[in-house]
Each structure stands twice: as structure tokens, then as C-alpha cells.
Amino acid sequence: MLTAMVTPFTADGAVDYAGVQRLATYLVDEQRNDGLIVSGTTGESPTTSDQEKERILRAVLEAVGDRATIVAGAGSNDTPHSVELAKTAERAGAHGLLVVTPYYNKPPQEGLYRHFAAVADATGLPVMLYDIPGRSGVPIATNTLIRLAQHERIVAVKDAKGDLFAGSQVMMATELAFYSGDDLLNLAWLSVGASGFVSVVGHVVGAELAKMIGLYRNGEVERALAVHRQLVPVVDGIMMRAGGAIMVKAALDMVGVPTGPVRLPLVAADEKQIAELRACLVAGGVKLTDA
């Protein structure tokens, strides 16, 4: 169970490093996360500098690195930049790397292969590929994933492509560990062999998601399904409206773990979205402290 954590900011938009440590501690100690993704998309990585990313990573490692696996986002659409991000993360002490598909420039599959291989070659850290064509514009093809699996440090996939059959083919052909990168499909991914979740809603229901994984692993499928159904309103409220970082920060305010504003071009949830989110969280059994 991992959560792709948001980045707390102060009211004037600076990174709140003390808030980063408070949030990381909350996610590990109270929300039962086994690991955290730092400086992923939910962490607003497009609008944080490389220097901020390094300080955020070091803050998280200092707070919880002794009891959780800390995976640093090192993806970009510029291969040398990704390589440098990976090297910096290794020097800072990261336990692994998350490398997203290069976005906007829409490389061919051979370009994807060489990009991911170059980042994996750059450090001694294990690499989780992030397949999210809805944001990157390009899926990682099944054959490319199978080819990449031959690299000793490419060990996992965060899947937000949503093709359970293609994922099944890759899992049958390789030893890649798949993680659901789409909270809508968490239980579905477990059913075809996924290892766990890289969640967004785990900010507020991480403990319940960890419980779902445990139940499913123990063969208690009906009870796991009950947890899934309990959390449907939460996933609806956070993931189906203004988007991850915006709604997660609003949700964290409601549970008493404020993380400040978002940075432009993101904007805060409006009153209607806040009201809808509140209703969804209550329906999903989340205890609110601002009521």
C-alpha cells in the first residue's frame, strides 16, 4: 500500500517542509501506508523545482524513511533531465524511483524503451514504470514492457492504463510487479494478480485500502468487496471531479491535516465541489474534523 503524496505549501505558495514531514508521518503511522511516492503528479511535480524536489525527498526520508519505502518521482519528457533527477534521488537516499512515460512529445516505443533503460542504468535503485497514457499521450506497449522487464532494476509498473488483460499478459510473461495506479480499479487489479496500490485516495482511506489488500490476500474476497463498495463514494468524490491534488488537499483539510493551497495552473476546489466532496467522504465513512 503506497500513496502518491501531495506536496504541502504555505499560504504564499512556498513548499512547507515541516508540513511535508507531518503529512508523511500521518500517512505512514495513521493511514498504514507501506510506502510513499514523493514528487509524482499528485505532488504537483510539474510546478516544483529540482531543488524543491530534493528537499521534499530528504524531508520525507528524515520523517519516515526508517519505516516506509520512499519512492522518488524521476520522470520527465527529457531523458537527460530524468537521469539527473534519478541520480539526485539516489544521493538523497531514495529507496526507489517512479519513472513516468515521457509526455507531450509522444515518442515511439523504441524511444520509450531507450528512455526507461537510460534512467534505470543511471543508478542502482529499483525502478517502477508509470504507464498513464491519458496524461502522457502514449501507452507503454505490452511488448515494450516485456522487453523492459529484462532490465535487472526495472521491477514494477504503476498502471493507470486500465487494460487488465494487457497487464495480465505482462505479468504472465515477466516478474514485473503491477500496482494499481487508478483508484477506480484497485480491487479489479488485485483480482488479476497485482501486488498492491499506488493510491491517491490513500491520503484519507489508506488504512481501509490496506485492509482490502489484506482481506483479498487472505482469501476473504467478499469482505474485500465490501471494503471496495464502502470506498466507492470516496473515490468518486476525490477522483471524478476536479482531479487528484485539488480534491485531496480539500479532503485533507476536512480530516484535520491541512496541506495548504495548490500552485497554478491548478486552482482550489470551488464551493460546489467542496460540498460534493464532503457528502462523498461522509458516505464513505471518513471521519471529518471540520464539521
Side-chain angles (χ1 to χ4, degrees):
M1 176 60 208
L2 298 92
T3 287
M5 66 176 278
V6 299
T7 298
F9 296 126
T10 61
D12 62 359
V15 176
D16 178 1
Y17 295 102
V20 167
Q21 293 194 315
R22 286 192 298 271
L23 177 61
T25 300
Y26 161 79
L27 291 174
V28 172
D29 293 350
E30 297 188 39
Q31 290 297 341
R32 292 181 55 193
N33 280 279
D34 302 301
L36 300 173
I37 306 291
V38 178
S39 291
T41 309
T42 307
E44 298 182 67
S45 60
T47 56
T48 55
S49 70
D50 290 358
Q51 292 74 24
E52 287 173 327
K53 288 178 174 65
E54 181 178 359
R55 285 193 63 189
I56 292 164
L57 174 59
R58 290 182 182 275
V60 172
L61 286 164
E62 181 180 313
V64 298
D66 60 339
R67 57 191 188 278
T69 299
I70 308 305
V71 180
S76 78
N77 58 355
D78 172 359
T79 303
H81 186 203
S82 288
V83 165
E84 286 306 311
L85 288 171
K87 289 179 177 179
T88 299
E90 183 178 44
R91 287 193 297 268
H95 304 141
L97 302 171
L98 178 72
V99 185
V100 71
T101 311
Y103 39 84
Y104 188 73
N105 41 13
K106 299 183 74 171
Q109 293 298 310
E110 180 64 23
L112 295 186
Y113 173 80
R114 295 187 191 186
H115 173 86
F116 289 127
V119 179
D121 285 341
T123 79
L125 297 176
V127 171
M128 176 185 286
L129 307 176
Y130 186 9
D131 192 4
I132 182 166
R135 287 184 183 270
S136 69
V138 179
I140 311 175
T142 297
N143 288 341
T144 304
L145 286 167
I146 291 171
R147 188 180 173 197
L148 286 163
Q150 298 172 28
H151 195 293
E152 63 180 352
R153 284 185 292 280
I154 296 177
V155 299
V157 179
K158 176 186 175 185
D159 187 285
K161 183 163 58 184
D163 188 336
L164 275 70
F165 183 73
S168 297
Q169 290 178 307
V170 176
M171 282 185 270
M172 289 177 64
T174 74
E175 295 184 358
L176 288 174
F178 267 67
Y179 288 77
S180 171
D182 184 348
D183 281 309
L184 283 66
L185 296 176
N186 283 340
L187 183 59
W189 271 113
L190 286 182
S191 75
V192 296
S195 299
F197 312 147
V198 176
S199 176
V200 174
V201 302
H203 283 89
V204 293
V205 292
E208 286 76 13
L209 290 173
K211 177 182 177 182
M212 182 200 296
I213 294 170
L215 289 169
Y216 193 87
R217 291 278 176 260
N218 289 332
E220 298 181 72
V221 177
E222 289 296 328
R223 291 183 65 195
L225 176 60
V227 175
H228 163 76
R229 289 177 172 169
Q230 172 196 333
L231 298 182
V232 165
V234 180
V235 175
D236 182 20
I238 292 177
M239 301 306 297
M240 303 302 288
R241 285 170 169 75
I246 292 170
M247 300 309 284
V248 164
K249 287 193 167 184
L252 286 167
D253 282 345
M254 294 180 193
V255 300
V257 188
T259 53
V262 290
R263 282 181 173 175
L264 285 170
L266 301 184
V267 295
D270 61 31
E271 290 184 6
K272 180 176 183 291
Q273 290 166 334
I274 292 291
E276 291 173 345
L277 174 62
R278 185 184 304 279
C280 288
L281 294 178
V282 170
V286 177
K287 183 181 292 186
L288 306 184
T289 61
D290 72 339

